[in-house]
């Protein structure tokens, strides 16, 4: 098992790259099924920074015409949620009247999703769906349905494939979990 050190913490391999790719294949297939033949050019909303790798992989697998819009939200500090979600960068394009697929790296407490749904409603999106690479069901406290979940994980802190610990670890190809023994 491979270990990586980020600042004061050690992480060990948790989900290898190939398994991430398989999960993205399955998720893209479901989205393609739901959107096949559409002519409205739905929007993929990349939630920076964590979602950058997932969005890039997902997009390559989508078989309908779609647009890409980004925004940036922050809520985490170190290994925990602050409970407050801040929009650090607004939507990069107008989404009024469009169907939007929110592309998230991970849904944890769900605070970010609630905020995103509000932002999209405020900008008059026609519809918004949620697609997340990872989901921590034991931590989720909201009742907004998650339309596409690539992988469910226990309530542990992870990094890699876009996810960070104080901005480090995003470049890792695999997903790592905090090694409590180290
Ligand atoms: P939520 O608002 O609590 O659902 O948290 C969502 C955001 O917190 C995600 O988009 C991530 O940026 C961050 N986050 C949640 N869990 C983790 C984790 O285990 N590692 C790194 N970032 C995380
Ligand atoms: Mg995020």
């Amino acid at each position: 098992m491979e270990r990586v050190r980020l600042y004061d913490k050690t992480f060990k391999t948790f989900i290898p790259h190939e398994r991430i790719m398989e999960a993205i294949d399955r998720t893209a297939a479901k989205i393609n099924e739901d959107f096949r033949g559409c002519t409205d050019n739905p929007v993929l909303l990349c939630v920076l920074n964590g979602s950058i790798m997932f969005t890039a992989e997902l997009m390559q697998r989508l078989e309908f015409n779609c647009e890409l819009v980004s925004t940036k939200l922050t809520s985490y500090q170190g290994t925990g949620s602050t409970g407050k979600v801040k929009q650090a960068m607004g939507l990069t394009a107008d989404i009024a009247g469009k169907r939007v697929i929110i592309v998230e790296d991970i849904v944890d407490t769900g605070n970010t999703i609630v905020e995103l749904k509000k932002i999209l409603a405020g900008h008059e999106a026609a519809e918004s769906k949620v697609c997340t690479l990872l989901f921590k069901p034991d931590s989720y406290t909201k009742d907004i349905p998650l339309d596409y979940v690539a992988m469910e994980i226990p309530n542990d802190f992870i990094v890699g494939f876009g996810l960070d610990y104080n901005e480090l670890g995003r470049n890792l190809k695999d997903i790592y979990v905090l090694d409590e023994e180290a």
Side-chain angles (χ1 to χ4, degrees):
M1 190 176 292
E2 204 203 321
R3 284 184 163 73
V4 294
R5 184 101 184 140
L6 304 174
Y7 292 121
D8 58 327
K9 301 207 186 304
T10 303
F11 296 83
K12 58 186 179 188
T13 318
F14 180 47
I15 310 172
H17 190 77
E18 312 78 75
R19 277 198 42 220
I20 303 172
M21 293 301 117
E22 287 162 13
I24 299 175
D25 287 343
R26 288 193 297 271
T27 306
K30 284 194 197 120
I31 297 176
N32 281 328
E33 221 170 88
D34 292 351
F35 285 82
R36 180 167 299 127
C38 70
T39 53
D40 59 327
N41 303 339
V43 167
L44 290 189
L45 178 63
C46 175
V47 186
L48 298 170
N49 287 329
S51 187
I52 190 158
M53 287 227 204
F54 178 40
T55 303
E57 289 293 337
L58 184 71
M59 271 194 95
Q60 295 174 55
R61 292 164 171 80
L62 298 183
E63 293 160 354
F64 52 93
N65 289 341
C66 54
E67 298 178 7
L68 177 65
V69 175
S70 302
T71 187
K72 184 175 179 181
L73 270 73
T74 53
S75 64
Y76 252 59
Q77 210 164 59
T79 61
S81 173
T82 60
K84 283 189 216 99
V85 183
K86 206 177 87 199
Q87 195 178 19
M89 184 186 91
L91 299 172
T92 56
D94 184 19
I95 51 102
K98 312 271 309 181
R99 287 199 288 170
V100 178
I101 304 171
I102 299 168
V103 185
E104 261 286 31
D105 51 354
I106 185 163
V107 176
D108 180 24
T109 63
N111 290 332
T112 305
I113 288 301
V114 169
E115 194 57 34
L116 281 166
K117 286 270 184 176
K118 271 191 220 153
I119 292 168
L120 293 179
H123 284 83
E124 287 166 5
E127 170 191 289
S128 61
K129 292 205 160 166
V130 181
C131 173
T132 186
L133 177 65
L134 298 150
F135 176 43
K136 293 180 181 173
D138 299 338
S139 175
Y140 194 62
T141 57
K142 315 292 186 225
D143 26 59
I144 294 174
L146 305 179
D147 303 279
Y148 309 101
V149 174
M151 292 178 285
E152 289 195 0
I153 59 166
N155 218 347
D156 299 316
F157 187 73
I158 55 157
V159 294
F161 203 77
L163 290 119
D164 72 304
Y165 168 52
N166 284 337
E167 296 304 325
L168 294 188
R170 296 195 195 275
N171 56 311
L172 299 165
K173 280 182 68 186
D174 308 303
I175 291 174
Y176 293 74
V177 66
L178 187 60
D179 186 0
E180 309 276 10
E181 265 106 76

